[in-house]
Amino acid sequence: MSIFFPEDEGREVPNVDNQPILRTEIIAGAAGPTGSQGPAGPAGVGVVTGGLTGQVLAKKTNADYDTEWVTGGGGGSAIWGGIAGTLSNQTDLQTVLDAKAPSSGISPSAISGTAVMTTDSRMSDSRTPTGAASGDLGGTYPAPSVVKLQGFSVATATPITGQSLGWTGSEWSAVTPLSVVSWGAITGTLSNQTDLQSALDAKALKITAITAGTGLTGGGDLSASRTISMLADVPADSLNFNTAATETNAIGKMFWNTTEGAPQVGLAGGNVQLQMGSMLVAYVRNAEATTLNKGEVVYLFGATGNRASVKRASNVADSSSSKTIGLVAESIGENQNGFIITQGVLDGLSLGSPYVEGDSIYLDTTPGAFTRVKPTQPDHIVFIGVVERANAGNGQLYIRPQNGFELEELHDVLITSPQNNQTILWNSATTLWVNSTLTIGTISGLSADLATRVASVTSGITGSTQLTNMMQITAAGYSAITSPAANTLYIIVG
């Protein structure tokens, strides 16, 4: 067979080193028929069965196909180099781990601002602190004592049963509560103590709002044990009363009196209600030997025990009328203190007939009494007030005493030992009106004037005709003058 290439066709093939050159010609023909399938080979090793969700396939040994399912973390990890050895002796991995965190721990002295895992016993053993305590603690460790709370001293006195910790104004100390109040059983849950809330609402003022500049609103009772204080830098601008409230009188209780149109407060003793702004009262001592009754008129008598004293007034003398001050507002026992009204309304009086509304009331002659009849001299006139309501059981007076004056009480009148038939004359030397007895000598110029007038009259009597027109008056009567006497004043009547 000769091998040749088409382009060499017809050429002789030379011998090279006496070796013939094989010339091959490949001619492609049609594909032959497909042969039959050969027998199946043996099954391969494949993937080990089993495994759980999340496990991965890992080499057990270096042998081919020796794998197993293991639990491993997803994601990448640090590359520490090849791992040699068996699973129980991963020497290369152990070496890398030892270099990063020695199993024997790191000495605390070798730590510089880095937190590490260590087996040092001081990290797990309990240790007792030592040294002096400070701050709110005093003494030394391991047994310090609490000597302050938030920087404020705590008293060292031993508390007793029932006391609680409270602030005394200078230190925290054991204090005894003012009172213990029993409110009964507490019902409801911790977030809704209905019985306790009801008890609190009934016993203490329930403030619903305190707003600077607008006031305080709420309801309840302010007793002596509960006080509302406004801070110095948040003063109260006003106090508003409920003008529609219906209240009962009580000592120390203040509310709006709709009838009188003013705030009212109950005074000591519980018998007098002060209407502020329309009523004046005085707290005085009874200097009488008997009880002063409500409605009696009194005058200032003196003072006892740093308090003004009073007695029943009467208009029969200046001493018992000129210092009339007001009416008794409540019964005041002998040598006891009580209230009188010096101006304002007093009710609960017996002002039946003949009193009528608008009557003027005056001090009477009977000590302590008043009358609607204006007194006349010599009784002293002292105005007491007017009747506002004429009623036998609940009469009402508006009181405003106005004392009358004696002539001698005027500032430019001087009365000294007055005598019968004296009059008041002006004394220019003392610039006062003084009491004087009238004589010709006391009336300047009267004597000379009378002498001139008598001479003029007598000189004009010259004839009997004129004498018939002159009359003389004597103790026995009057008659015509027939023989005029010397130095005698005659009166011409016709």
Side-chain angles (χ1 to χ4, degrees), residues 26 50 64 114 125 173 185 253 271 276 290 313 369 371 384 387 410 424 428 441 456 460 462 473 491:
I26 301 176
D64 291 340
T114 303
D125 292 352
S173 179
K253 183 177 181 179
N271 300 314
M276 292 178 288
T290 57
T371 177
I384 298 299
V387 176
L410 298 177
I424 301 296
S428 60
S456 175
T462 58
I473 301 174
I491 301 174

Side-chain angles (χ1 to χ4, degrees), residues 173-376:
S173 179
V175 296
T176 302
L178 295 177
S179 62
V180 178
V181 181
S182 176
W183 291 337
I186 298 176
T187 60
T189 64
L190 184 62
S191 61
N192 185 26
Q193 296 290 350
T194 54
D195 185 60
L196 177 59
Q197 185 62 60
S198 298
L200 288 172
D201 290 345
K203 293 182 176 292
L205 176 66
K206 183 180 180 181
I207 300 173
T208 59
I210 300 180
T211 305
T214 60
L216 177 150
T217 58
D221 173 53
L222 284 175
S223 70
S225 63
R226 288 180 286 275
T227 304
I228 293 180
S229 299
M230 301 302 292
L231 299 178
D233 57 348
V234 188
D237 291 345
S238 62
L239 178 61
N240 292 335
F241 291 96
N242 180 4
T243 57
T246 302
E247 297 288 338
T248 56
N249 300 333
I251 299 174
K253 183 177 181 179
M254 182 185 296
F255 58 92
W256 184 262
N257 185 321
T258 303
T259 302
E260 297 300 327
Q264 173 176 305
V265 61
L267 301 182
N271 300 314
V272 180
Q273 298 296 312
L274 175 64
Q275 284 88 46
M276 292 178 288
S278 63
M279 181 177 175
L280 296 177
V281 300
Y283 198 50
V284 298
R285 183 178 293 269
N286 177 11
E288 296 280 16
T290 57
T291 297
L292 289 174
N293 300 308
K294 178 179 179 180
E296 290 188 304
V297 187
V298 292
Y299 73 96
L300 280 173
F301 173 73
T304 303
N306 297 326
R307 193 170 300 284
S309 60
V310 297
K311 282 190 172 184
R312 294 180 178 91
S314 169
N315 68 5
V316 297
D318 181 71
S319 59
S320 61
S321 66
S322 64
K323 295 178 288 184
T324 300
I325 184 174
L327 270 65
V328 178
E330 60 178 342
S331 294
I332 309 174
E334 175 189 356
N335 205 34
Q336 299 298 311
N337 298 329
F339 287 99
I340 63 172
I341 295 181
T342 62
Q343 180 178 339
V345 176
L346 179 63
D347 57 12
L349 302 176
S350 179
L351 293 175
S353 178
Y355 290 103
V356 296
E357 292 182 6
D359 274 348
S360 293
I361 302 301
Y362 300 91
L363 180 63
D364 200 2
T365 55
T366 303
F370 54 79
T371 177
R372 63 190 294 270
V373 179
K374 187 175 182 179
T376 57

Side-chain angles (χ1 to χ4, degrees), residues 119-194:
T119 59
D120 192 307
S121 60
R122 287 175 294 180
M123 299 299 290
S124 59
D125 292 352
S126 60
R127 299 300 173 101
T128 302
T130 59
S134 61
D136 285 352
L137 299 179
T140 58
Y141 292 101
S145 58
V146 177
V147 295
K148 295 180 180 179
L149 289 178
Q150 295 293 319
F152 297 97
S153 299
V154 176
T156 58
T158 302
I160 61 176
T161 301
Q163 288 186 318
S164 59
L165 186 63
W167 179 251
T168 65
S170 60
E171 63 179 358
W172 294 102
S173 179
V175 296
T176 302
L178 295 177
S179 62
V180 178
V181 181
S182 176
W183 291 337
I186 298 176
T187 60
T189 64
L190 184 62
S191 61
N192 185 26
Q193 296 290 350
T194 54

Side-chain angles (χ1 to χ4, degrees), residues 46-48 57-61 63 65-69:
V47 177
V48 66
L57 200 61
K59 291 279 286 187
K60 291 178 60 178
T61 66
Y65 313 117
D66 190 8
T67 59
E68 66 178 345
W69 292 104

